[in-house]
Amino acid sequence: MSPASTKASTTMDARTSVTSPASPSSPPAGPPTAPDAPGAPGGADSRLSPGGPGFRRMSFALFLAGVATFALLYSTQALLPLISGDLGVSAGDASWTVAAATGGLAVFVLPMSVLSERYGRRTVMTASLAVAVTVGLLVPFAPSLGSLVALRALQGAALAGVPASATAYLAEEVRPKALVTAIGLFVAGNSVGGMSGRVITGWVAQEWGWRVAVGVIGVLAVACAVAFRLLLPAPKHFRPGSLRPRVLLGTVRDHLANPLLRRLYAIGALFMTVFGGVYTVIGYRLAEAPFSLPQGIVGSIFLVYLVGTVAASAAGRLVGRLGRRGALYAAGGTTAAGLLLSLAGSLSLILLGLVLITGGFFAGHAVASSAVGRTATQGRAQASALYQSAYYVGSSAGSTVGALAFHSGGWAGTVGVGLVAVAGVVAITVLGTRAARAERRGLAPA
């Protein structure tokens, strides 16, 4: 592990024990306090922890933000066969309705993190959800594939403010020992949003078409966004940062120079490549012979996401038992086993394979994303944004490449893409293990 990661907790404690600006010994206050930050930080003891006041409310608010984000982001994924038929386009073309949204998020997550550093995490998340749900209500009226893809790209760009700010909010407001658990709950909200969006759209679309289905998701997201804003506690440890380009570029450069952060970014991208490819294509596979499942049943396949909810929530315990790298090995191995099992011709074995893929992915994602929050000692929003950018680049790549592989080689082609990505996760984790051993040997007394 890099030196940055070993000092994360100490530095975080130091940042959160700043004295009040009213004190004569206080340092210069810097930029004016943002609307999100009522009062000065209250010290390490005032941060949230499980069982403490405000923790459940904060967790539920961010859970709802995750539900809204993933429900909107992947609202068309289970509907791709219907969109293909209605608009007369191929699977590869229809997959752009997913790739455009995740690509827009990947491009804008870093700029959104900059706004988050200056104007506050809660403010940016609220504004992002407001714009995204507004666009979500327009998506059902898109007259063509081009306009649909454009609206989805705009929606993804708007949603970028949520993942860009949520992890940074948690890193500042939650005690370090509870961080993996808190982020796991946020990721669990992602899984519930992804599941509910696909299941609801599947059954609604079967009766009333894909346009009504995505409209229903838009209304659901509006409700989640309003509840999120009402429930999320005002941050107490946020301090506005600088918008100066030189400072921001320096922060990004420092993050990219950190070997541990680079490995975590690559791991997030590769895990999401697997997940994006599998769930973009699975609807086509199950709708075709020999399964020929109706749209409602195809959408219900995404109930498997409940496994992701459990896996993400349990990530903290997994790290406690196996360590971070051990947890990543376990997540990668589980995902690979699921990919291989999904090659079977039996529907029950395919479902079991999806269970393993989903559990492995969400566990790996929760472990990697929480490690980013603990490793970065400054510019946490940018560190998180770089992770999210890599993560959603992986999603866009997985959606597009997975669909192309399915078109040319069937389900085996999509599985092949996934196995290559998992091999990359394992290889990067091995490099991290060797680097940690080398660092320990270097620190050992002569």
Side-chain angles (χ1 to χ4, degrees):
M1 186 181 298
S2 70
S5 63
T6 61
K7 298 179 183 176
S9 298
T10 302
T11 307
M12 192 183 301
D13 290 343
R15 282 188 60 191
T16 54
S17 54
V18 178
T19 55
S20 168
S23 169
S25 60
S26 298
T33 301
D36 270 10
D45 289 343
S46 68
R47 286 180 289 178
L48 301 173
S49 62
F55 187 86
R56 288 185 179 179
R57 185 177 162 193
M58 175 272 298
S59 298
F60 187 53
L62 288 175
F63 177 88
L64 291 176
V67 170
T69 299
F70 259 53
L72 289 172
L73 194 64
Y74 293 101
S75 59
T76 63
Q77 194 172 56
L79 306 174
L80 294 181
L82 293 181
I83 293 173
S84 291
D86 182 40
L87 301 180
V89 297
S90 68
D93 290 338
S95 71
W96 279 105
T97 64
V98 179
T102 54
L105 193 153
V107 170
F108 279 88
V109 69
L110 187 57
M112 286 292 190
S113 76
V114 174
L115 297 178
S116 171
E117 290 283 3
R118 183 63 185 87
Y119 298 107
R121 322 303 186 193
R122 191 173 66 163
T123 299
V124 170
M125 286 190 281
T126 300
S128 293
L129 286 173
V131 174
V133 298
T134 300
V135 175
L137 297 176
L138 298 176
V139 166
F141 303 100
S144 65
L145 179 65
S147 58
L148 177 59
V149 169
L151 284 172
R152 295 282 292 149
L154 177 60
Q155 192 171 52
L159 287 171
V162 177
S165 305
T167 305
Y169 176 95
L170 290 169
E172 291 166 350
E173 304 300 323
V174 175
R175 296 182 187 181
K177 289 185 178 180
L179 185 57
V180 176
T181 299
I183 290 181
L185 290 172
F186 174 63
V187 173
N190 294 347
S191 71
V192 170
M195 176 201 70
S196 60
R198 292 156 169 101
V199 173
I200 292 171
T201 55
W203 285 104
V204 173
Q206 182 171 306
E207 297 296 327
W208 295 288
W210 69 268
R211 294 180 185 275
V212 174
V214 294
V216 168
I217 293 302
V219 173
L220 171 67
V222 169
C224 288
V226 171
F228 158 80
R229 185 59 182 84
L230 293 175
L231 290 172
L232 188 69
K236 297 179 179 179
H237 301 281
F238 169 72
R239 297 181 68 189
S242 172
L243 286 177
R244 289 180 295 173
R246 181 178 297 180
V247 174
L248 296 170
L249 289 174
T251 300
V252 170
R253 184 169 58 247
D254 289 344
H255 291 329
L256 293 176
N258 186 319
L260 175 56
L261 287 176
R262 288 201 304 268
R263 290 195 294 270
L264 293 171
Y265 297 154
I267 286 171
L270 290 168
F271 264 126
M272 196 53 171
T273 297
V274 180
F275 200 67
V278 165
Y279 278 101
T280 295
V281 170
I282 190 64
Y284 286 99
R285 186 187 186 195
L286 297 179
E288 294 177 353
F291 305 110
S292 303
L293 298 180
Q295 184 63 43
I297 299 298
V298 170
S300 296
I301 294 298
F302 292 93
L303 285 169
V304 172
Y305 266 48
L306 289 173
V307 176
T309 304
V310 175
S313 301
R317 294 193 297 273
L318 186 64
V319 172
R321 291 183 179 181
L322 303 177
R324 187 184 67 248
R325 286 181 292 275
L328 289 173
Y329 284 129
T334 301
T335 304
L339 286 167
L340 293 173
L341 195 58
S342 72
L343 290 169
S346 165
L347 183 59
S348 60
L349 291 179
I350 292 172
L351 292 177
L352 180 57
L354 290 176
V355 166
L356 295 178
I357 293 167
T358 304
F361 161 73
F362 274 104
H365 170 41
V367 171
S369 60
S370 62
V372 170
R374 295 200 63 171
T375 300
T377 58
Q378 59 180 344
R380 288 191 182 92
Q382 279 75 51
S384 174
L386 289 169
Y387 175 84
Q388 296 291 338
S389 182
Y391 175 81
Y392 286 107
V393 164
S395 177
S396 295
S399 298
T400 304
V401 176
L404 292 174
F406 179 76
H407 181 72
S408 60
W411 182 251
T414 302
V415 168
V417 170
L419 289 173
V420 170
V422 171
V425 169
V426 173
I428 292 169
T429 308
V430 168
L431 290 176
T433 302
R434 291 179 176 176
R437 289 174 180 171
E439 182 179 347
R440 285 197 296 269
R441 286 196 298 266
L443 295 175

